[in-house]
Amino acid sequence: MTLHATIDRVTDRIRQRSEPVRSAYLGKIAKAAEEGPRRAHLSCGNQAHAYAAMADKDDMATTRKPNLGIVTAYNDMLSAHQPYERFPDLIRRAGHAAGATVQVAGGVPAMCDGVTQGRAGMELSLFSRDVIALAAGVALSHDCFDAALYLGVCDKIVPGLVIAAATFGHVPAVFIPAGPMPSGLPNDEKSKVRQQFAAGEVGRDALMAAEMASYHSPGTCTFYGTANSNQMLMEFMGLHLPGSSFVNPNTPLREALTVAGVERAAAITRLGNDYLPAGEILDEKAFVNGMVGLMATGGSTNLVMHIPAMARAAGVLIDIEDFHDISEAVPLMARVYPNGLADVNHFHAAGGIGYMIGQLLEAGLLHEDVRTINGTGLGGYTVEPKLDGARVRWEEGARDTLNDKILRPASDPFARTGGLKQLEGNLGRGVIKVSAVAEERHVIEARARVFSDQEQVKAAFKAGEFTEDTIVVVRFQGPRANGMPELHSLTPTLAVLQDRGLKVALVTDGRMSGASGKVPAAIHISPEASTGGPLARVRDGDLIRMDATMGTIDCLAEDFETRRPAAFDPSTSSEGMGREMFAFFRTHAGPATEGAACVV
């Protein structure tokens, strides 16, 4: 199938924009690769320190077996990462069977946005991505590894690990997922109880029972938020093995896929004939494929910041106009909560990623000619993993949807476009996700209520102050203000207002969760208010027009351009819960439109 003209044009635009930095990047990793297996350059003393604790240290000292380094985000506080506790032993056994040695190179932190929503700790969340990249860099700095296995799932963890994998781009990289928890209380029922609690209709005991029935076992949360969007992304970009993203933890197939991932890592080192450095996988075509997957699945808006940051680490420059243009060309093929009632287990059963990739390739909406850890182009990702004894084999995947209420062909999608829009006007640049927003709410013109944090919004709601159509402006939430926390805890409040018949929208220089959906939200507005961005000039009562159809966002006050911006008070978010230690990150973060990162 001929490549779609828009996908071709956007890819070429990214290639041209990136050419100087991408060429320099490829030269850097090529030079690193020319030096051969890195540990060969270590002194005997250096090597003895590196191998002292290994049971097979004599193999390391006397043979040319590949040495695989594990970078793990394991902790047993996060349900998504708890399954990784068993992975190092499994990986060691699989590595030895494949003729390799294995070491845990290091661990990286992994925090849960579900725990920190609405709390001070959420102000560390986005910057934890940079910390993860740095920690993974420390793990790999020992220069002992012929390939790296990255164990991570959730919101900032995968992007941070990809930044590290790109930075050490001469080292082959295989990402090993852990899988989603089995289905529990349906996500729409959980959301309904949250709204009932916000409206005072049920007590905390009912809310707690619903939450515990939804989040109930090891594995990733089952809604299609940032964590599961990450897993989709790794498969569309060729860093996972085919069909591995949404296989449940602690199952024989999950274990067999992990073993297969280790075998691939051992096979693609520079010691063999199939050397595949991570930096060559992470090119402009891979990132375009990832963006196509994001739009076709209705994935998390957080990836609109993470993808540019990951790409920049590989010398690829992505702009939000690229997301917008790709979204206009790519149909929405999936309905997974919050964009539908199904969860990721239902999505996987309906045909999942393999079906979608096949459909999108046939429609000319994906680059097939990419390098992947599977040793194939993207056409090798239309298959489905099955158990064959204790091993995995791949069969032809579904060619027809197995549930058209969840997954539809590209020729008959749920929506013609992916539902992500760029917004631009005198309030700055940002994005809005409309895939779950009713069409009659795509354009809202209403008076503004201006707040400096989400708690002020909740207090105004409890005081009964929202009685008319309102655009809620929550400013000073950008990366340089308070670390750009998610404002997901506003979702039940705003949803209640919307259900009362009001037209309501959110405008913010902060983020919303990948689980947010039906309330229109203009997010990531840049320049941010704390640096004098336009949101700092908005006042209560200003008429604001947010038009997702035309892609505009403007304050209609006549004197708007001449106003003095409101000043940000940094004392509100500079201390407590470790925020003191993150002052450097707040000072040096880039704009949201470029990924809001410090390390790239």
Side-chain angles (χ1 to χ4, degrees), residues 540-579:
D540 280 342
D542 283 349
L543 191 64
I544 291 178
R545 181 176 177 84
M546 185 181 73
D547 187 335
T549 304
M550 299 299 296
T552 59
I553 182 164
D554 293 285
C555 178
L556 304 182
E558 291 185 1
D559 65 339
F560 181 70
E561 299 294 344
T562 61
R563 292 177 182 171
R564 176 175 295 182
F568 169 61
D569 178 7
S571 67
T572 60
S573 58
S574 60
E575 295 182 348
M577 203 54 65
R579 288 179 288 186

Side-chain angles (χ1 to χ4, degrees), residues 89-169:
D89 284 341
L90 173 61
I91 291 170
R92 288 190 192 96
R93 293 195 303 270
H96 294 166
T101 53
V102 180
Q103 293 176 289
V104 174
V108 302
M111 65 181 292
C112 180
D113 292 354
V115 176
T116 58
Q117 287 289 349
R119 309 290 297 171
M122 174 54 78
E123 296 181 14
L124 311 186
S125 174
L126 179 59
F127 294 141
S128 74
R129 179 190 63 191
D130 294 54
V131 173
I132 289 159
L134 293 169
V138 171
L140 295 173
S141 69
H142 296 100
D143 217 7
C144 293
F145 306 107
D146 299 293
L149 294 154
Y150 294 93
L151 313 185
V153 174
C154 286
D155 297 24
K156 264 59 67 190
I157 294 90
V158 167
L161 293 175
V162 172
I163 290 171
T167 304
F168 287 78

Side-chain angles (χ1 to χ4, degrees), residues 405-454:
K405 293 181 175 61
I406 299 171
L407 199 52
R408 287 188 182 172
S411 59
D412 182 27
F414 291 101
R416 183 186 62 81
T417 70
L420 190 80
K421 304 278 189 176
Q422 176 181 229
L423 297 174
E424 190 165 7
N426 67 8
L427 287 178
R429 295 177 80 202
V431 295
I432 182 171
K433 178 182 174 182
V434 296
S435 53
V437 176
E439 190 170 351
E440 62 269 21
R441 298 190 179 105
H442 287 192
V443 179
I444 294 185
E445 187 173 302
R447 299 290 174 184
R449 282 293 308 275
V450 183
F451 303 91
S452 296
D453 64 58
Q454 55 190 320

